[in-house]
Structure formats: structure tokens, C-alpha cells
Amino acid sequence: MNKYKTNYITKTCKKNKKRDTWIIKENTHEAIIKKEKYDIVQEIKQEKRGRVGIKHEYLLRDLLYCGYCKRRMQYKVYRSADKQRFLYDGVAFNCSLLYKKKCKNKTYIREKNLNEIIKSEVIKRVKLIEIDKITNKLIDYYKENDEDMQKIKEYKNEIEKLERRKSVLYKKKCEQYITIEVFKAEYIRAKEEIKKFEKLMKEIEQNNGNKLEEKRIKEVVNEFKNGKCINNHFLKEIINRIEVYSKNRIEITFNL
């Protein structure tokens, strides 16, 4: 009830966007199917939606171009039969104009092989650079990819959402969209959630306070020199573009 607002003067009907003012009454009609079956179907539908949302991030994103037509290389990715994982060995690149017969580049190169080639060239390049000048940047990249740092970022985002939630609740209370009792209950729940995330952040910071000491810094630098921490963001910092002519001819334009 109260889901739509009718203007009897203009003879128009609009949906009431203020869901808090809706009056919802359950079990007013005889069910066509049992509630247990309905819940099972909803779970199956939710699982299917989750499968479609699987996203694959590849190492050379936005860096690969065809050496002849200068267009971006096309990324061919294949999933497993259950659609739950990507088949890394079957992923490959080719020119995006190949099927339109507008480019003579017929190279079909596996992502696995191309990644190894690029990593090898990047390691050679990094070894030529004065490592002291980029140590701080490397450490920043390490922090961005560290699991604990990622958790802290997630907790901070959740705290910001809850703070906004508190502001919205207060506004709704002032505008009398919700009762004072509802406001108090939701407000206390939000405060408790904030305290929980703050506690988790504090525990991580205490356990990892000396994580990046001098010894660890040297280890991080060596990891980059050996290609263990190379990711897409790092590659974009030192590579302008990669042009593929054939499996044996790959030209890399470095920024450094």
C-alpha cells in the first residue's frame, strides 16, 4: 500500500520513491507455489548472476598494440565449463582487425608466453636503472598490493559508508520519514559496526608496525628486480606501449 501516489486533479499516478512510507502486508494472497520452493529458485538465480559478474584482470591491459595497423590487440579469454574460472593456458591475443581482413598481422600469441617475454625484458630494464632512485616508488607499489594494506583500505571504505549512513538516518529522522525508535536502533547498529572495523584496523597496524624495516625494504627491491611483484599498474609506469608484429618480433617502448 501507498506505493503509488495519485493526483486526482491531473489524473496522473506516480511511484512513491520514499520506500519508508510504504505499507507492506505479507501473505495477503494465496501462494501459487510453496515459499520453500520460491526461496530455492531465488538462490539459484542469485548464483547465476554471480557467475556472470566474474572479472578477469590481465597483466598487459591497455599496453598491447598491433605492430602493423597500430590498433589494440584483441584479448581472447575462455572460461571453464562451470563458468567459475578462467582457463589461463587458453587465453591469447590477436589483432582486432584480423577477422575483418583489414590487417596482415595473423599472429595469435598466448598470454602465458607473452607475459614471460615482457617480464624478462622488464627485469633487464629495471637492472639498468639506478635502483635507489625508484626504491620509494617500489615500496609504495608493495604497500598497495599487500594483503593487510588492502584490508585496511576496505575497512576505511566501510567506515565511510557507515558514517554516511548515520547522516542519512539523522536526516530521515528530522524529516519524520522514520520514527525515533527506528533511528536509535539503526544509529546504534552503525556505531557498533564502526567500532568493529576500527578495532580490526588497529590490530593490523599493531601486528605490522615494523613490517617495512630496512631489511624488508631490500627484500622488496630484490623481489621487483626478480620480477615477483610485477603487475599492470607497475608496467604502465615504465612501459608506454608494446607492439606485436609476430611471435618473434615484439617491440617495447619504455618510459624510463
Side-chain angles (χ1 to χ4, degrees), residues 183-212:
F183 166 75
K184 285 181 178 179
E186 292 294 327
Y187 195 85
I188 291 170
R189 191 178 294 114
K191 283 183 71 176
E192 289 175 350
E193 287 290 313
I194 289 172
K195 285 181 180 178
K196 182 186 77 174
F197 287 121
E198 286 177 343
K199 184 181 179 182
L200 290 170
M201 284 173 57
K202 192 174 180 180
E203 288 175 358
I204 292 173
E205 288 169 354
Q206 287 176 348
N207 294 333
N208 299 284
N210 300 319
K211 196 170 186 178
L212 286 177

PDB file of all heavy atoms in Angstrom, residues 183-212:
ATOM      1  N   PHE A 183      15.298   5.144  14.336  1.00  0.00           N
ATOM      2  CA  PHE A 183      16.542   5.916  14.200  1.00  0.00           C
ATOM      3  C   PHE A 183      17.580   5.467  15.231  1.00  0.00           C
ATOM      4  O   PHE A 183      18.745   5.226  14.900  1.00  0.00           O
ATOM      5  CB  PHE A 183      16.244   7.413  14.375  1.00  0.00           C
ATOM      6  CG  PHE A 183      17.470   8.249  14.593  1.00  0.00           C
ATOM      7  CD1 PHE A 183      18.327   8.542  13.548  1.00  0.00           C
ATOM      8  CD2 PHE A 183      17.789   8.722  15.871  1.00  0.00           C
ATOM      9  CE1 PHE A 183      19.475   9.301  13.756  1.00  0.00           C
ATOM     10  CE2 PHE A 183      18.927   9.474  16.092  1.00  0.00           C
ATOM     11  CZ  PHE A 183      19.770   9.768  15.027  1.00  0.00           C
ATOM     12  N   LYS A 184      17.150   5.338  16.485  1.00  0.00           N
ATOM     13  CA  LYS A 184      18.082   4.956  17.554  1.00  0.00           C
ATOM     14  C   LYS A 184      18.671   3.563  17.297  1.00  0.00           C
ATOM     15  O   LYS A 184      19.881   3.344  17.445  1.00  0.00           O
ATOM     16  CB  LYS A 184      17.371   4.981  18.907  1.00  0.00           C
ATOM     17  CG  LYS A 184      17.126   6.381  19.452  1.00  0.00           C
ATOM     18  CD  LYS A 184      16.441   6.321  20.816  1.00  0.00           C
ATOM     19  CE  LYS A 184      16.237   7.711  21.396  1.00  0.00           C
ATOM     20  NZ  LYS A 184      15.550   7.659  22.707  1.00  0.00           N
ATOM     21  N   ALA A 185      17.802   2.635  16.914  1.00  0.00           N
ATOM     22  CA  ALA A 185      18.264   1.257  16.688  1.00  0.00           C
ATOM     23  C   ALA A 185      19.282   1.194  15.546  1.00  0.00           C
ATOM     24  O   ALA A 185      20.344   0.579  15.675  1.00  0.00           O
ATOM     25  CB  ALA A 185      17.069   0.356  16.382  1.00  0.00           C
ATOM     26  N   GLU A 186      18.963   1.861  14.419  1.00  0.00           N
ATOM     27  CA  GLU A 186      19.870   1.839  13.262  1.00  0.00           C
ATOM     28  C   GLU A 186      21.155   2.611  13.550  1.00  0.00           C
ATOM     29  O   GLU A 186      22.242   2.223  13.127  1.00  0.00           O
ATOM     30  CB  GLU A 186      19.162   2.454  12.043  1.00  0.00           C
ATOM     31  CG  GLU A 186      18.016   1.636  11.507  1.00  0.00           C
ATOM     32  CD  GLU A 186      18.492   0.314  10.926  1.00  0.00           C
ATOM     33  OE1 GLU A 186      19.600   0.279  10.375  1.00  0.00           O
ATOM     34  OE2 GLU A 186      17.760  -0.685  11.047  1.00  0.00           O
ATOM     35  N   TYR A 187      21.028   3.727  14.296  1.00  0.00           N
ATOM     36  CA  TYR A 187      22.190   4.559  14.613  1.00  0.00           C
ATOM     37  C   TYR A 187      23.176   3.799  15.518  1.00  0.00           C
ATOM     38  O   TYR A 187      24.389   3.820  15.303  1.00  0.00           O
ATOM     39  CB  TYR A 187      21.722   5.844  15.302  1.00  0.00           C
ATOM     40  CG  TYR A 187      22.771   6.932  15.362  1.00  0.00           C
ATOM     41  CD1 TYR A 187      22.941   7.804  14.295  1.00  0.00           C
ATOM     42  CD2 TYR A 187      23.596   7.090  16.471  1.00  0.00           C
ATOM     43  CE1 TYR A 187      23.895   8.805  14.333  1.00  0.00           C
ATOM     44  CE2 TYR A 187      24.557   8.081  16.516  1.00  0.00           C
ATOM     45  CZ  TYR A 187      24.693   8.946  15.451  1.00  0.00           C
ATOM     46  OH  TYR A 187      25.645   9.929  15.495  1.00  0.00           O
ATOM     47  N   ILE A 188      22.647   3.105  16.505  1.00  0.00           N
ATOM     48  CA  ILE A 188      23.497   2.313  17.418  1.00  0.00           C
ATOM     49  C   ILE A 188      24.171   1.175  16.663  1.00  0.00           C
ATOM     50  O   ILE A 188      25.351   0.891  16.886  1.00  0.00           O
ATOM     51  CB  ILE A 188      22.642   1.766  18.593  1.00  0.00           C
ATOM     52  CG1 ILE A 188      22.209   2.922  19.512  1.00  0.00           C
ATOM     53  CG2 ILE A 188      23.418   0.718  19.384  1.00  0.00           C
ATOM     54  CD1 ILE A 188      21.175   2.534  20.546  1.00  0.00           C
ATOM     55  N   ARG A 189      23.415   0.535  15.763  1.00  0.00           N
ATOM     56  CA  ARG A 189      23.981  -0.552  14.978  1.00  0.00           C
ATOM     57  C   ARG A 189      25.146  -0.051  14.104  1.00  0.00           C
ATOM     58  O   ARG A 189      26.192  -0.705  13.998  1.00  0.00           O
ATOM     59  CB  ARG A 189      22.909  -1.169  14.088  1.00  0.00           C
ATOM     60  CG  ARG A 189      23.349  -2.488  13.436  1.00  0.00           C
ATOM     61  CD  ARG A 189      22.258  -3.114  12.578  1.00  0.00           C
ATOM     62  NE  ARG A 189      21.121  -3.533  13.390  1.00  0.00           N
ATOM     63  CZ  ARG A 189      19.913  -2.997  13.327  1.00  0.00           C
ATOM     64  NH1 ARG A 189      19.674  -2.022  12.485  1.00  0.00           N
ATOM     65  NH2 ARG A 189      18.934  -3.427  14.098  1.00  0.00           N
ATOM     66  N   ALA A 190      24.985   1.126  13.512  1.00  0.00           N
ATOM     67  CA  ALA A 190      26.049   1.703  12.680  1.00  0.00           C
ATOM     68  C   ALA A 190      27.283   2.030  13.513  1.00  0.00           C
ATOM     69  O   ALA A 190      28.420   1.779  13.100  1.00  0.00           O
ATOM     70  CB  ALA A 190      25.534   2.960  11.975  1.00  0.00           C
ATOM     71  N   LYS A 191      27.073   2.566  14.712  1.00  0.00           N
ATOM     72  CA  LYS A 191      28.198   2.903  15.599  1.00  0.00           C
ATOM     73  C   LYS A 191      28.969   1.648  16.011  1.00  0.00           C
ATOM     74  O   LYS A 191      30.205   1.649  16.069  1.00  0.00           O
ATOM     75  CB  LYS A 191      27.686   3.639  16.839  1.00  0.00           C
ATOM     76  CG  LYS A 191      27.334   5.101  16.598  1.00  0.00           C
ATOM     77  CD  LYS A 191      26.900   5.808  17.872  1.00  0.00           C
ATOM     78  CE  LYS A 191      28.055   6.014  18.806  1.00  0.00           C
ATOM     79  NZ  LYS A 191      27.678   6.783  20.016  1.00  0.00           N
ATOM     80  N   GLU A 192      28.240   0.583  16.290  1.00  0.00           N
ATOM     81  CA  GLU A 192      28.889  -0.679  16.675  1.00  0.00           C
ATOM     82  C   GLU A 192      29.724  -1.249  15.526  1.00  0.00           C
ATOM     83  O   GLU A 192      30.817  -1.769  15.737  1.00  0.00           O
ATOM     84  CB  GLU A 192      27.825  -1.684  17.117  1.00  0.00           C
ATOM     85  CG  GLU A 192      27.194  -1.339  18.455  1.00  0.00           C
ATOM     86  CD  GLU A 192      26.059  -2.275  18.810  1.00  0.00           C
ATOM     87  OE1 GLU A 192      25.652  -3.068  17.926  1.00  0.00           O
ATOM     88  OE2 GLU A 192      25.554  -2.216  19.960  1.00  0.00           O
ATOM     89  N   GLU A 193      29.189  -1.135  14.305  1.00  0.00           N
ATOM     90  CA  GLU A 193      29.931  -1.609  13.132  1.00  0.00           C
ATOM     91  C   GLU A 193      31.202  -0.798  12.941  1.00  0.00           C
ATOM     92  O   GLU A 193      32.262  -1.344  12.615  1.00  0.00           O
ATOM     93  CB  GLU A 193      29.053  -1.498  11.878  1.00  0.00           C
ATOM     94  CG  GLU A 193      27.951  -2.532  11.803  1.00  0.00           C
ATOM     95  CD  GLU A 193      28.500  -3.936  11.552  1.00  0.00           C
ATOM     96  OE1 GLU A 193      29.340  -4.097  10.670  1.00  0.00           O
ATOM     97  OE2 GLU A 193      28.086  -4.864  12.272  1.00  0.00           O
ATOM     98  N   ILE A 194      31.121   0.515  13.146  1.00  0.00           N
ATOM     99  CA  ILE A 194      32.302   1.384  13.009  1.00  0.00           C
ATOM    100  C   ILE A 194      33.368   0.984  14.020  1.00  0.00           C
ATOM    101  O   ILE A 194      34.558   0.880  13.702  1.00  0.00           O
ATOM    102  CB  ILE A 194      31.906   2.871  13.186  1.00  0.00           C
ATOM    103  CG1 ILE A 194      31.096   3.343  11.970  1.00  0.00           C
ATOM    104  CG2 ILE A 194      33.151   3.745  13.359  1.00  0.00           C
ATOM    105  CD1 ILE A 194      30.490   4.714  12.134  1.00  0.00           C
ATOM    106  N   LYS A 195      32.964   0.734  15.263  1.00  0.00           N
ATOM    107  CA  LYS A 195      33.908   0.322  16.306  1.00  0.00           C
ATOM    108  C   LYS A 195      34.577  -1.003  15.949  1.00  0.00           C
ATOM    109  O   LYS A 195      35.768  -1.189  16.190  1.00  0.00           O
ATOM    110  CB  LYS A 195      33.178   0.193  17.656  1.00  0.00           C
ATOM    111  CG  LYS A 195      32.834   1.522  18.304  1.00  0.00           C
ATOM    112  CD  LYS A 195      32.149   1.305  19.638  1.00  0.00           C
ATOM    113  CE  LYS A 195      31.796   2.638  20.299  1.00  0.00           C
ATOM    114  NZ  LYS A 195      31.089   2.429  21.588  1.00  0.00           N
ATOM    115  N   LYS A 196      33.800  -1.905  15.360  1.00  0.00           N
ATOM    116  CA  LYS A 196      34.352  -3.210  14.982  1.00  0.00           C
ATOM    117  C   LYS A 196      35.448  -3.051  13.930  1.00  0.00           C
ATOM    118  O   LYS A 196      36.538  -3.626  14.049  1.00  0.00           O
ATOM    119  CB  LYS A 196      33.223  -4.093  14.435  1.00  0.00           C
ATOM    120  CG  LYS A 196      33.695  -5.505  14.066  1.00  0.00           C
ATOM    121  CD  LYS A 196      32.592  -6.302  13.403  1.00  0.00           C
ATOM    122  CE  LYS A 196      32.420  -5.864  11.956  1.00  0.00           C
ATOM    123  NZ  LYS A 196      31.460  -6.717  11.225  1.00  0.00           N
ATOM    124  N   PHE A 197      35.184  -2.235  12.897  1.00  0.00           N
ATOM    125  CA  PHE A 197      36.180  -2.026  11.841  1.00  0.00           C
ATOM    126  C   PHE A 197      37.402  -1.270  12.361  1.00  0.00           C
ATOM    127  O   PHE A 197      38.533  -1.554  11.953  1.00  0.00           O
ATOM    128  CB  PHE A 197      35.558  -1.274  10.662  1.00  0.00           C
ATOM    129  CG  PHE A 197      34.616  -2.111   9.842  1.00  0.00           C
ATOM    130  CD1 PHE A 197      33.300  -1.736   9.682  1.00  0.00           C
ATOM    131  CD2 PHE A 197      35.055  -3.279   9.236  1.00  0.00           C
ATOM    132  CE1 PHE A 197      32.424  -2.505   8.922  1.00  0.00           C
ATOM    133  CE2 PHE A 197      34.189  -4.060   8.482  1.00  0.00           C
ATOM    134  CZ  PHE A 197      32.875  -3.670   8.327  1.00  0.00           C
ATOM    135  N   GLU A 198      37.182  -0.314  13.258  1.00  0.00           N
ATOM    136  CA  GLU A 198      38.316   0.421  13.838  1.00  0.00           C
ATOM    137  C   GLU A 198      39.207  -0.507  14.656  1.00  0.00           C
ATOM    138  O   GLU A 198      40.434  -0.383  14.649  1.00  0.00           O
ATOM    139  CB  GLU A 198      37.796   1.566  14.711  1.00  0.00           C
ATOM    140  CG  GLU A 198      37.239   2.727  13.897  1.00  0.00           C
ATOM    141  CD  GLU A 198      36.652   3.821  14.786  1.00  0.00           C
ATOM    142  OE1 GLU A 198      36.390   3.533  15.991  1.00  0.00           O
ATOM    143  OE2 GLU A 198      36.444   4.947  14.292  1.00  0.00           O
ATOM    144  N   LYS A 199      38.586  -1.448  15.366  1.00  0.00           N
ATOM    145  CA  LYS A 199      39.343  -2.411  16.157  1.00  0.00           C
ATOM    146  C   LYS A 199      40.181  -3.326  15.251  1.00  0.00           C
ATOM    147  O   LYS A 199      41.357  -3.605  15.529  1.00  0.00           O
ATOM    148  CB  LYS A 199      38.386  -3.253  17.006  1.00  0.00           C
ATOM    149  CG  LYS A 199      39.084  -4.227  17.946  1.00  0.00           C
ATOM    150  CD  LYS A 199      38.070  -5.034  18.745  1.00  0.00           C
ATOM    151  CE  LYS A 199      38.776  -6.038  19.662  1.00  0.00           C
ATOM    152  NZ  LYS A 199      37.792  -6.865  20.412  1.00  0.00           N
ATOM    153  N   LEU A 200      39.573  -3.784  14.146  1.00  0.00           N
ATOM    154  CA  LEU A 200      40.289  -4.637  13.199  1.00  0.00           C
ATOM    155  C   LEU A 200      41.476  -3.900  12.574  1.00  0.00           C
ATOM    156  O   LEU A 200      42.562  -4.469  12.400  1.00  0.00           O
ATOM    157  CB  LEU A 200      39.337  -5.114  12.093  1.00  0.00           C
ATOM    158  CG  LEU A 200      38.257  -6.118  12.518  1.00  0.00           C
ATOM    159  CD1 LEU A 200      37.248  -6.317  11.400  1.00  0.00           C
ATOM    160  CD2 LEU A 200      38.872  -7.455  12.916  1.00  0.00           C
ATOM    161  N   MET A 201      41.277  -2.624  12.246  1.00  0.00           N
ATOM    162  CA  MET A 201      42.361  -1.816  11.687  1.00  0.00           C
ATOM    163  C   MET A 201      43.503  -1.658  12.677  1.00  0.00           C
ATOM    164  O   MET A 201      44.683  -1.768  12.323  1.00  0.00           O
ATOM    165  CB  MET A 201      41.830  -0.431  11.280  1.00  0.00           C
ATOM    166  CG  MET A 201      41.030  -0.433   9.999  1.00  0.00           C
ATOM    167  SD  MET A 201      40.259   1.174   9.672  1.00  0.00           S
ATOM    168  CE  MET A 201      41.681   2.252   9.681  1.00  0.00           C
ATOM    169  N   LYS A 202      43.139  -1.427  13.933  1.00  0.00           N
ATOM    170  CA  LYS A 202      44.156  -1.241  14.972  1.00  0.00           C
ATOM    171  C   LYS A 202      44.982  -2.508  15.166  1.00  0.00           C
ATOM    172  O   LYS A 202      46.201  -2.456  15.353  1.00  0.00           O
ATOM    173  CB  LYS A 202      43.475  -0.847  16.293  1.00  0.00           C
ATOM    174  CG  LYS A 202      44.433  -0.345  17.357  1.00  0.00           C
ATOM    175  CD  LYS A 202      43.676   0.159  18.575  1.00  0.00           C
ATOM    176  CE  LYS A 202      44.646   0.662  19.633  1.00  0.00           C
ATOM    177  NZ  LYS A 202      43.930   1.153  20.833  1.00  0.00           N
ATOM    178  N   GLU A 203      44.320  -3.659  15.114  1.00  0.00           N
ATOM    179  CA  GLU A 203      45.027  -4.936  15.277  1.00  0.00           C
ATOM    180  C   GLU A 203      46.039  -5.149  14.144  1.00  0.00           C
ATOM    181  O   GLU A 203      47.167  -5.580  14.378  1.00  0.00           O
ATOM    182  CB  GLU A 203      44.018  -6.086  15.295  1.00  0.00           C
ATOM    183  CG  GLU A 203      43.198  -6.142  16.579  1.00  0.00           C
ATOM    184  CD  GLU A 203      42.120  -7.212  16.523  1.00  0.00           C
ATOM    185  OE1 GLU A 203      41.995  -7.871  15.459  1.00  0.00           O
ATOM    186  OE2 GLU A 203      41.396  -7.397  17.521  1.00  0.00           O
ATOM    187  N   ILE A 204      45.631  -4.832  12.918  1.00  0.00           N
ATOM    188  CA  ILE A 204      46.533  -4.991  11.775  1.00  0.00           C
ATOM    189  C   ILE A 204      47.722  -4.053  11.896  1.00  0.00           C
ATOM    190  O   ILE A 204      48.871  -4.445  11.667  1.00  0.00           O
ATOM    191  CB  ILE A 204      45.787  -4.728  10.451  1.00  0.00           C
ATOM    192  CG1 ILE A 204      44.765  -5.838  10.197  1.00  0.00           C
ATOM    193  CG2 ILE A 204      46.771  -4.667   9.275  1.00  0.00           C
ATOM    194  CD1 ILE A 204      43.877  -5.595   9.012  1.00  0.00           C
ATOM    195  N   GLU A 205      47.457  -2.804  12.279  1.00  0.00           N
ATOM    196  CA  GLU A 205      48.541  -1.823  12.410  1.00  0.00           C
ATOM    197  C   GLU A 205      49.525  -2.214  13.505  1.00  0.00           C
ATOM    198  O   GLU A 205      50.730  -2.009  13.375  1.00  0.00           O
ATOM    199  CB  GLU A 205      47.949  -0.436  12.679  1.00  0.00           C
ATOM    200  CG  GLU A 205      47.258   0.164  11.450  1.00  0.00           C
ATOM    201  CD  GLU A 205      46.452   1.403  11.793  1.00  0.00           C
ATOM    202  OE1 GLU A 205      46.342   1.715  13.016  1.00  0.00           O
ATOM    203  OE2 GLU A 205      45.933   2.046  10.870  1.00  0.00           O
ATOM    204  N   GLN A 206      49.009  -2.775  14.607  1.00  0.00           N
ATOM    205  CA  GLN A 206      49.902  -3.208  15.697  1.00  0.00           C
ATOM    206  C   GLN A 206      50.758  -4.400  15.286  1.00  0.00           C
ATOM    207  O   GLN A 206      51.936  -4.485  15.634  1.00  0.00           O
ATOM    208  CB  GLN A 206      49.066  -3.565  16.931  1.00  0.00           C
ATOM    209  CG  GLN A 206      48.484  -2.356  17.645  1.00  0.00           C
ATOM    210  CD  GLN A 206      47.585  -2.750  18.795  1.00  0.00           C
ATOM    211  OE1 GLN A 206      47.203  -3.915  18.939  1.00  0.00           O
ATOM    212  NE2 GLN A 206      47.231  -1.792  19.633  1.00  0.00           N
ATOM    213  N   ASN A 207      50.163  -5.320  14.537  1.00  0.00           N
ATOM    214  CA  ASN A 207      50.894  -6.523  14.120  1.00  0.00           C
ATOM    215  C   ASN A 207      51.899  -6.253  13.003  1.00  0.00           C
ATOM    216  O   ASN A 207      52.841  -7.013  12.816  1.00  0.00           O
ATOM    217  CB  ASN A 207      49.914  -7.599  13.648  1.00  0.00           C
ATOM    218  CG  ASN A 207      49.038  -8.097  14.785  1.00  0.00           C
ATOM    219  OD1 ASN A 207      49.420  -8.065  15.946  1.00  0.00           O
ATOM    220  ND2 ASN A 207      47.845  -8.559  14.444  1.00  0.00           N
ATOM    221  N   ASN A 208      51.693  -5.159  12.265  1.00  0.00           N
ATOM    222  CA  ASN A 208      52.550  -4.881  11.108  1.00  0.00           C
ATOM    223  C   ASN A 208      53.247  -3.528  11.206  1.00  0.00           C
ATOM    224  O   ASN A 208      53.623  -2.950  10.189  1.00  0.00           O
ATOM    225  CB  ASN A 208      51.715  -4.932   9.823  1.00  0.00           C
ATOM    226  CG  ASN A 208      51.092  -6.291   9.603  1.00  0.00           C
ATOM    227  OD1 ASN A 208      51.747  -7.222   9.205  1.00  0.00           O
ATOM    228  ND2 ASN A 208      49.817  -6.402   9.906  1.00  0.00           N
ATOM    229  N   GLY A 209      53.421  -3.043  12.410  1.00  0.00           N
ATOM    230  CA  GLY A 209      54.042  -1.727  12.607  1.00  0.00           C
ATOM    231  C   GLY A 209      55.444  -1.624  12.048  1.00  0.00           C
ATOM    232  O   GLY A 209      55.847  -0.599  11.506  1.00  0.00           O
ATOM    233  N   ASN A 210      56.230  -2.695  12.165  1.00  0.00           N
ATOM    234  CA  ASN A 210      57.619  -2.669  11.695  1.00  0.00           C
ATOM    235  C   ASN A 210      57.815  -3.523  10.448  1.00  0.00           C
ATOM    236  O   ASN A 210      58.888  -4.059  10.212  1.00  0.00           O
ATOM    237  CB  ASN A 210      58.554  -3.172  12.819  1.00  0.00           C
ATOM    238  CG  ASN A 210      58.450  -2.299  14.056  1.00  0.00           C
ATOM    239  OD1 ASN A 210      58.385  -1.088  13.941  1.00  0.00           O
ATOM    240  ND2 ASN A 210      58.432  -2.919  15.222  1.00  0.00           N
ATOM    241  N   LYS A 211      56.754  -3.647   9.679  1.00  0.00           N
ATOM    242  CA  LYS A 211      56.806  -4.554   8.543  1.00  0.00           C
ATOM    243  C   LYS A 211      57.812  -4.106   7.482  1.00  0.00           C
ATOM    244  O   LYS A 211      58.510  -4.920   6.902  1.00  0.00           O
ATOM    245  CB  LYS A 211      55.414  -4.660   7.918  1.00  0.00           C
ATOM    246  CG  LYS A 211      55.270  -5.853   6.984  1.00  0.00           C
ATOM    247  CD  LYS A 211      53.824  -6.039   6.606  1.00  0.00           C
ATOM    248  CE  LYS A 211      53.651  -7.306   5.797  1.00  0.00           C
ATOM    249  NZ  LYS A 211      52.256  -7.543   5.452  1.00  0.00           N
ATOM    250  N   LEU A 212      57.868  -2.804   7.218  1.00  0.00           N
ATOM    251  CA  LEU A 212      58.766  -2.298   6.192  1.00  0.00           C
ATOM    252  C   LEU A 212      60.039  -1.733   6.811  1.00  0.00           C
ATOM    253  O   LEU A 212      60.392  -0.580   6.601  1.00  0.00           O
ATOM    254  CB  LEU A 212      58.050  -1.243   5.340  1.00  0.00           C
ATOM    255  CG  LEU A 212      57.018  -1.786   4.360  1.00  0.00           C
ATOM    256  CD1 LEU A 212      56.330  -0.648   3.638  1.00  0.00           C
ATOM    257  CD2 LEU A 212      57.641  -2.733   3.360  1.00  0.00           C
TER     258      LEU A 212
END
